Amino acid sequence: MSKRFIHRTQNFQIPNETNAYRVEKIEMPTELFGKNVFSLNTMRAVLPNQIYRNMKAVIEEGAALDAATADVVAASMKDWAMSNGATHYTHWFHPLTGLTAEKHLAFLAPLGEGGVISEFSGKDLLRGEPDASSFPSGGLRSTFEARGYTGWDPTSNAFLLEGLNGKTLCIPSFFIGWGGQALDKKTPLLRSSEALSKQAIRILRLFGNTTAKKVTAYLGCEQEYFLIDRKYYLQRPDLVAVGRTLFGAKPPKGQELEDHYFGSIKERVLAYMQDLERELYKLGIPVNTRHNEVAPMQFEIAPIFETLNTAVDHNMIMMSIMKTVAHRHGFECLLHEKPFARINGSGKHNNWSIIDNEGTNLVDPGSTPQENAQFLVFLAAVMRAIHLYGDILRVTVASAANDHRLGANEAPPAIISIYLGEKLTQVVRYLAEGTPIQKKSEGFIDIGVSMLPPLPAHDSDRNRTSPFAFTGNKFEFRAVGSSQSCATPMMVLNTIVAESLGYIADILEEEVRQQKPFNQAVKELVSKLFRDHSLILFDGDNYSQSWHEEAVRRGLPNLRNTFEAAPALVTEKAKQLFTKHKVLSEIELESRFHIKLEKFIKNLNIETEMTLQIGRTNIIPAGIAYQQRLSDSIRSAATYVPESSITEQKALLQKVSRLINDLILKLNTLDEFNQEAKSHREDLLKCAEIYQTKVRPAMEEVRGIADELELYVDEDLWQLPKYHEMLFHV
Ligand code: ADP
Ligand code: MG
């Protein structure tokens, strides 16, 4: 074992397969599930019957919540929470940081004579007032009018968060300014769900459905993550500060052997997963899948899909629990989109479908002619939405971190297109252009109506390179980054599909009014939409250069990074879209644009300063120490051995010296570019442009040299844990 390794690990116990962390008592999921959730189930047990029914109507049908009900619910919720060990409560919300926020308040209030009582009224439940001045608002609210308030979102269950020494009641909430401006991610998400429901119901009514009351989007998200031993994490200031390694030579063995994907799960990792799953079950999060992912020490966890609002909240809770539980196991859980260069990054596939309150999935082809025709309308709406508004969907997943993934050969490209699978594509082509369907008999459901073609039976998706794939009864948006909240991408997806459904409903309602036969109207409109929007379909290899060229010919935007993508938020088209459906006002939209750029700039500034710091105080000193060692050795060797024996050693010294010199130069250039970018702080777009076009390439150059130096410097002098240690020492 090298001296360096011993030095590095001496303060840590090295957890290994045999001392993997064990939970004290193994309980079955059935005992645990939902234990810490104030769900409808819990409510049925603790609330008076009428109040329970009121709450059910609020949650399931969007009925209004009255103050009397809120009071009774608050009292029961408090009793339930306290009897389960909670001492505090908090409105738990999603500010525009992209994280969640909480401010805890004790249930206890002192009485005059030295006693205490517990307090929590309907008013306390419905509204909290955190000082909002320090959350990003993108100009929505300047600090002198700092107050915003949080309000209970009864459609997402309250839950108990367990700390080591007590529990906290968390009340999922929206967060808005006094003028009603959305200061968070949940408010627009809820508004977009309403818009989607409203427009989808219009379509259902056209198809003769008079009973469905509400349509709800569902989400199942597959979450990728890395685990590394925490002792290494704490010795990587870059991982601690920015979540990714800014330096690190490629290890001799990376992921090229493809031996990790679906491989057997190591004991210590499995112990973590099992512990994590139990914590998530308690919170009513129905996690289902676990497996090794492509990169070494990369894994995936996926819950069973739930209503969108709940799934978004659950994913946020899950990400935070993943990190907490990792610490118990001596791991750090990395959710960054690209923790390691030249190793696959992590994403979060968002599986989205829309289902009415009678349980019909509207993006499932179904089995009757009518269901099939209706499905084609929804399909056409999605195609139109993605074709016309793909740039807006794209910007929702843009971030400094996700820029490293999108467009590299491991994740969907920045070009947004749709993959439908071979059979469904044939149906679309048939309706659009009359192209005959081949192999009708095989795997097609013949619906026996001459107006519409047969629809394929569930077609499994074999194109993993597509950013937006139809997978049988849902669409899968794969460009979302692993650390991102699903709220904004799903908010946009809801809104753009609502817009298309509204567009279709406008036309069909008018044609019905003019007595056009409905079937014919549907067929003509669907055919036209398929024709107009078939350019958005692509079933080839999304990673290939030829697709990039083809996309240009098709006029599909290729917004390669956050700087290029951000302006899509503030186009006239975007403003009209969001204001029309009352999802975001113009000023709310602009605030999102500002925050997007602000965050990009701040992240890159932190990365740059961290690069400078590590480069100058860690890597160069290591290089210089090695240079010193080499030159000392050469000097003394020269007194004993002939010159010809040390020529290569001199060459090595020269190589090392040159790398150190170049590194110093490149670091200085990086520093200058960063200062230049900062001097444009008043003009966000200009500033972001400099970060993208100058700072980022300069950072890459620094890294290139430092990573080369790593391959020469004496192992014992190199301070930073190396890739092969972080990725392979479990
Ligand atoms: P794969 O890796 O093949 O995409 P997974 O099983 O890992 O499949 O993940 C699929 C995700 O899609 C799961 O979260 C699953 O619950 C979810 N899902 C399945 N059906 C639907 C649906 N109708 N709407 C939304 N999500 C769905
Ligand atoms: Mg998937």
Side-chain angles (χ1 to χ4, degrees):
M1 203 181 281
S2 78
K3 257 192 287 171
R4 164 176 165 273
F5 184 74
I6 294 167
H7 156 76
R8 165 125 9 102
T9 52
Q10 64 192 354
N11 294 328
F12 297 86
Q13 187 192 10
I14 306 174
N16 58 28
E17 306 282 349
T18 49
N19 65 6
Y21 175 88
R22 282 169 200 267
V23 295
E24 274 161 27
K25 176 170 171 258
I26 294 186
E27 290 171 283
M28 288 307 285
T30 40
E31 293 168 50
L32 292 173
F33 197 81
K35 194 173 148 184
N36 285 344
V37 186
F38 196 69
S39 60
L40 269 176
N41 234 348
T42 320
M43 288 187 224
R44 191 184 315 112
V46 302
L47 290 177
N49 199 12
Q50 184 54 46
I51 300 289
Y52 163 73
R53 271 184 285 149
N54 293 353
M55 280 310 297
K56 198 166 151 68
V58 168
I59 293 168
E60 290 177 357
E61 288 157 35
L65 179 72
D66 61 88
T69 302
D71 266 332
V72 181
V73 175
S76 302
M77 198 189 272
K78 180 199 69 186
D79 290 345
W80 169 81
M82 290 185 76
S83 67
N84 280 293
T87 55
H88 288 63
Y89 71 93
T90 178
H91 284 93
W92 178 85
F93 58 105
H94 307 244
L96 295 170
T97 52
L99 305 169
T100 58
E102 49 195 76
K103 175 189 177 187
H104 300 195
L105 290 167
F107 283 123
L108 289 193
L111 282 176
E113 292 165 5
V116 285
I117 51 157
S118 56
E119 272 192 342
F120 187 63
S121 66
K123 218 171 92 262
D124 296 326
L125 169 61
L126 287 175
R127 177 176 290 187
E129 285 171 40
D131 177 3
S133 56
S134 297
F135 290 112
S137 76
L140 268 179
R141 181 218 53 235
S142 44
T143 37
F144 56 84
E145 42 187 35
R147 295 186 81 76
Y149 67 90
T150 49
W152 180 34
D153 162 23
T155 60
S156 178
N157 292 325
F159 58 95
L160 296 175
L161 207 56
E162 291 186 8
L164 284 179
N165 299 317
K167 294 180 190 164
T168 306
L169 171 68
C170 296
I171 303 161
S173 300
F174 54 81
F175 176 41
I176 58 182
W178 284 102
Q181 324 84 308
L183 298 173
D184 68 346
K185 291 181 176 256
K186 188 188 267 278
T187 306
L189 182 71
L190 294 177
R191 291 176 186 159
S192 75
S193 298
E194 252 182 67
L196 179 67
S197 179
K198 189 168 152 200
Q199 302 305 333
I201 289 285
R202 289 175 68 194
I203 302 288
L204 296 189
R205 294 284 180 270
L206 280 161
F207 275 90
N209 179 333
T210 54
T211 50
K213 285 192 195 149
K214 190 177 163 193
V215 165
T216 306
Y218 282 75
L219 171 68
C221 38
E222 302 159 55
Q223 173 78 50
E224 292 178 338
Y225 62 99
F226 279 87
L227 290 176
I228 64 166
D229 202 299
R230 193 160 151 80
K231 67 175 178 283
Y232 295 132
Y233 173 80
L234 292 174
Q235 293 172 81
R236 292 284 317 208
D238 45 3
L239 278 180
V240 174
V242 303
R244 77 179 182 101
T245 52
L246 297 167
F247 296 96
K250 184 189 172 305
K253 177 181 186 293
Q255 63 189 52
E256 52 280 90
L257 296 180
E258 293 166 342
D259 49 0
H260 195 255
Y261 190 60
F262 284 10
S264 65
I265 303 171
K266 292 227 164 82
E267 186 176 59
R268 186 175 161 209
V269 172
L270 187 58
Y272 164 74
M273 291 174 166
Q274 289 164 329
D275 193 7
L276 170 65
E277 285 161 0
R278 287 200 164 75
E279 293 299 334
L280 297 174
Y281 289 147
K282 287 191 218 164
L283 292 161
I285 301 176
V287 281
N288 183 33
T289 319
R290 55 161 105 114
H291 63 82
N292 284 7
E293 257 300 330
V294 171
M297 287 307 276
Q298 189 189 30
F299 309 95
E300 180 180 302
I301 178 169
I304 293 169
F305 67 104
E306 303 178 274
T307 58
L308 174 55
N309 184 31
T310 296
V312 167
D313 282 358
H314 277 176
N315 181 250
M316 296 305 287
I317 303 170
M318 186 168 93
M319 287 195 286
S320 126
I321 306 272
M322 286 167 82
K323 288 196 157 278
T324 314
V325 174
H327 293 173
R328 296 213 277 261
H329 294 257
F331 283 130
E332 187 64 38
C333 171
L334 306 178
L335 292 170
H336 192 281
E337 281 72 10
K338 191 75 176 175
F340 304 99
R342 302 175 209 94
I343 300 279
N344 266 23
S346 300
K348 174 149 54 198
H349 294 180
N350 279 211
N351 294 271
W352 173 92
S353 66
I354 38 184
I355 301 180
D356 71 19
N357 63 316
E358 294 168 336
T360 306
N361 180 350
L362 306 177
V363 293
D364 190 320
S367 53
T368 67
Q370 186 184 338
E371 280 170 357
N372 274 308
Q374 187 180 293
F375 164 74
L376 290 178
V377 166
F378 280 91
L379 176 63
V382 172
M383 278 174 57
R384 177 181 181 274
I386 303 292
H387 190 209
L388 297 184
Y389 302 103
D391 57 338
I392 305 178
L393 192 60
R394 162 70 184 97
V395 65
T396 64
V397 296
S399 72
N402 212 17
D403 284 354
H404 292 284
R405 255 179 90 240
L406 303 180
N409 274 1
E410 57 169 62
I415 307 161
I416 303 288
S417 66
I418 303 180
Y419 172 78
L420 289 183
E422 192 192 329
K423 291 173 187 163
L424 198 53
T425 304
Q426 282 188 43
V427 173
V428 169
R429 299 244 180 272
Y430 168 76
L431 280 168
E433 296 137 24
T435 320
I437 294 178
Q438 307 141 12
K439 291 198 231 155
K440 259 191 202 171
S441 52
E442 200 189 299
F444 279 94
I445 305 167
D446 196 336
I447 61 174
V449 168
S450 57
M451 295 286 266
L452 290 167
L455 286 186
H458 276 202
D459 194 6
S460 73
D461 160 42
R462 276 176 220 94
N463 189 333
R464 308 295 296 181
T465 69
S466 173
F468 198 91
F470 179 68
T471 47
N473 59 357
K474 58 187 162 53
F475 289 91
E476 182 169 344
F477 185 37
R478 298 191 177 129
V480 185
S482 48
S483 72
Q484 292 175 331
S485 159
C486 304
T488 306
M490 293 298 98
M491 175 275 281
V492 167
L493 185 56
N494 282 349
T495 309
I496 62 182
V497 173
E499 162 60 26
S500 281
L501 292 171
Y503 170 87
I504 293 171
D506 284 348
I507 294 174
L508 291 180
E509 283 167 1
E510 181 55 30
E511 292 189 332
V512 167
R513 207 169 298 127
Q514 293 182 10
Q515 319 264 307
K516 188 166 190 173
F518 182 63
N519 273 1
Q520 190 191 338
V522 168
K523 191 192 166 195
E524 282 173 15
L525 181 59
V526 163
S527 301
K528 177 173 177 341
L529 289 171
F530 285 164
R531 233 178 351 264
D532 292 349
H533 301 293
S534 65
L535 285 180
I536 197 68
L537 299 183
F538 181 65
D539 53 9
D541 178 3
N542 280 259
Y543 300 164
S544 69
Q545 187 52 37
S546 60
W547 168 233
H548 286 231
E549 288 154 18
E550 167 70 15
V552 173
R553 281 195 292 279
R554 293 191 189 187
L556 297 178
N558 181 5
L559 306 166
R560 292 166 303 171
N561 51 60
T562 307
F563 160 68
E564 288 179 10
L569 278 177
V570 284
T571 57
E572 213 33 57
K573 178 178 82 176
K575 286 179 189 166
Q576 279 180 15
L577 168 78
F578 289 109
T579 53
K580 178 174 166 195
H581 294 279
K582 301 195 170 51
V583 174
L584 289 170
S585 67
E586 256 187 57
I587 163 160
E588 286 170 336
L589 195 55
E590 253 161 48
S591 72
R592 269 72 186 165
F593 168 71
H594 278 267
I595 290 171
K596 175 83 48 185
L597 288 178
E598 281 274 355
K599 208 169 160 197
F600 175 74
I601 288 167
K602 286 180 184 166
N603 280 341
L604 284 176
N605 177 50
I606 297 172
E607 284 198 353
T608 307
E609 290 188 5
M610 190 45 82
T611 301
L612 293 172
Q613 189 178 318
I614 296 176
R616 286 172 175 161
T617 66
N618 190 317
I619 293 179
I620 288 177
I624 285 178
Y626 184 47
Q627 176 182 260
Q628 176 81 48
R629 226 176 244 191
L630 282 174
S631 48
D632 285 355
S633 149
I634 289 170
R635 197 178 310 112
S636 56
T639 62
Y640 301 108
V641 299
E643 177 66 20
S644 61
S645 322
I646 51 173
T647 50
E648 289 313 312
Q649 295 174 46
K650 281 188 173 171
L652 175 63
L653 173 61
Q654 264 176 23
K655 169 93 192 172
V656 169
S657 300
R658 201 165 43 239
L659 286 171
I660 297 170
N661 227 38
D662 285 354
L663 186 55
I664 295 172
L665 279 174
K666 295 291 181 194
L667 283 164
N668 290 344
T669 311
L670 175 63
D671 205 351
E672 280 160 28
F673 286 155
N674 196 36
Q675 298 313 324
E676 184 189 337
K678 283 204 222 179
S679 71
H680 287 90
R681 209 55 182 74
E682 293 308 302
D683 179 352
L684 287 182
L685 256 184
K686 181 74 199 162
C687 183
E689 182 179 7
I690 298 173
Y691 273 110
Q692 180 59 41
T693 58
K694 290 186 160 176
V695 175
R696 280 192 140 166
M699 222 188 306
E700 274 308 301
E701 286 195 41
V702 165
R703 177 173 190 152
I705 298 169
D707 289 358
E708 194 178 349
L709 192 60
E710 182 187 325
L711 299 176
Y712 288 94
V713 169
D714 185 334
E715 172 85 2
D716 281 335
L717 294 171
W718 199 260
Q719 296 293 314
L720 294 172
K722 296 185 174 184
Y723 270 28
H724 71 84
E725 294 166 323
M726 292 186 282
L727 289 167
F728 292 95
H729 288 192
V730 194

